Amino acid sequence: MPRQFTVSPDGRRVLFVRTGSGTDPVGRLWQYEDGTERVLADPALLVGTGSEVVPEEERLRRERARERSVGVVAYAADGAAQLVAFALSGALWAVRTDGGAPFSVPAAGPVVDPRPSPDGRVIAYVSRRSLHVVGLDGADRQLARSEGAEVGYGLAEYTAAESMGRSRGYWWAPDSRRLLVARVDTSPMERRYLSDPANPAKPPQVIRYPAAGTANAEVTLQLVSLDGERVDVTWDRKAYEYLVDAGWDAHGPFIAVQSRDQRTLRTLAVDPATGATAVLHERTDPAWVELVAGTPARTASGALVLPEDTDDTRYLTVGGHRVTPAGLQLRAVLGVEGERVLFTASEDPTETHVWRYEPGHGVHRLSRDPGRYGGAGRAGTVVLAGAGPWGAEVTVVRGEAGGYAPVAALASLAEEPLVTPRPLPLSLGERKLRGALYLPSWHTEGTGRLPVLLDPYGGPGMQMVGRDRGWPACVSQWFAEQGFAVLVIDGRGTPGRGPAWEKAVHGDQLTPALEDQVDGLLAAGERFGDLDLARVAIRGWSFGGFLAAAAVLHRPDVFHAAVAGAPPTDMRLYDTHWKERFLGHPDTHPENYARSSLTGHGHRLCRPLLLVHGLADDNVAAAHTLRFSAELLAAGKPHTVLPLPGATHSPTDDAVNENLLRFQRDFLLEALRTGRGSGGGEGLSAG
């Protein structure tokens, strides 16, 4: 699918990345203009880029982004969208969008995150944790040099990339003369050693991981000029240790910083001469201040663009005034141009649409068909990229407030799925839980009862129920074709239904989430007589894996078997910003961690349980599964563990993923048939 869109200042051109097909992982840089698509950079045609060998820093960036493609996976353009820079196998490349072939630019070392200056004269990049700028003639200057293996300039730290949504570590000034640069010192953090048990001769990888309650990386900022002058940015780092985001617009540099307890977030203006900061805005919340992508931002007049939460609505505000109506849930700000704001929001949690706010005209929805959409816009041109029940599409529209007309569709080369999802949308129980029921295409109502498989994520930051045909829907339908009635439910804690719904899990990430799965299951069972509630299984990955294992531990009267992939079993082992957001500091609120963890409850297991974990997972470490398995064994509770050597948190080997689905199917069918899974269980009857 086309992705990563940049619209030129005149609105005539759109840059994007697209791989060759659904089975070709090589990304290519494309440009759309005047009804025509043309490739700007094809890695297969560039000298010296035949093999995909990337620097360690870039590999980590790709893992943080769950990036599976190779070739051109990211790019950055100058202010006019005329010069584009990208990295291939650690080498720096550039291409001009008005014609000509891509050309290599000499660099001081392996290149990560290259970004042209707004005027297109030089390109900044990170190499070996140091920040450089290089002219197109190859004249290279090191602006910020790493002081050691624990210190880096210009890259986002683990917590920012994994938990805050900040993927970058430096920002150009509009005049191209200076940069705002993050300095990251990881020396205070705990060390973890990630080994490969399948290759015992290979030394372990040492990583710095900010486990809940432990020290974070020390993140500071500097204003760095092209002639080498550096000025420290100052703020109360003891009170606000998280750098959430930053930017530099016509009004100067600005940053967003957050307290360790995440209950206060400040937007600060930065004096470009002295580095001193002044408070522009402060948001507070008794639970936590939710981070909204694309904020803070400023309009041309300097009005701050920010979210504002009430119990039932997350509003978009401009200059301190709410500009969206009650019930429309702000999801992200896509861009600000002049006084106009392009953003995504949900009227119904199963859909996300692109909207535009303009003074004097209010807000208008630009995406029309049902589904989930994002995109980019400039100069009256908007790219609407989304997926609906029929699949994915990317449309270019043009117009002004009150009227936009499609002018082109960017071609999708995505594969058609082998199964066609047939979800039945549901609203379940007193809380009107959004759900979807997938039945086998061959099943006729009233001809027989089907075992039930719950297939949730059920946690913060992700929805599984929506009017879009994505990978999760295809997997759910595949399990349905194997003979299950598959039920997917988004409960409390999932996004899109307002702040109170999201924050219902504050202090307890287990009880509300599990209650909603049970309530939704029972409500669906009352409505559909073909659902056999005497044979109920549950599967999930990451938080969904945690929820699946918790289901058979705490509600064996409802759930009869579970598959838990990469489950966070001990919440103290997960990272600071993400976990302390929901449960507080573990030294202050140990009861929240005990209540929300699986560890300490292993003695409850009386149903078949399959635990699956990648041994190279540096997000949810394999220690979560291994320690929990040891607890189960010590309690005399049979279970099954499937280790995946070399796999990270999101396994990328297609053969492994394909066969893993089959393994789960066989385990669950056997467990529901006999009351025991392959290699585990206690011979309990299905009922």
Side-chain angles (χ1 to χ4, degrees), residues 131-146:
L131 182 69
H132 296 249
V133 292
V134 61
L136 302 185
D137 59 358
D140 193 282
R141 284 167 284 174
Q142 188 180 74
L143 298 184
R145 182 178 182 178
S146 170

Side-chain angles (χ1 to χ4, degrees), residues 536-553:
V536 178
I538 182 171
R539 65 176 291 274
W541 198 269
S542 196
F543 189 93
F546 156 78
L547 192 54
V552 289
L553 286 180

Side-chain angles (χ1 to χ4, degrees), residues 100 190 192 290 378 575 582 615:
E190 287 187 349
R192 286 187 175 182
E290 184 70 16
R378 211 170 180 184
D575 78 68
F582 309 109
L615 298 182

Side-chain angles (χ1 to χ4, degrees), residues 338-355:
E339 300 303 313
R340 297 183 295 187
V341 182
L342 192 69
F343 63 99
T344 55
S346 298
E347 296 170 288
D348 181 286
T350 64
E351 298 190 31
T352 301
H353 288 280
V354 176
W355 297 70

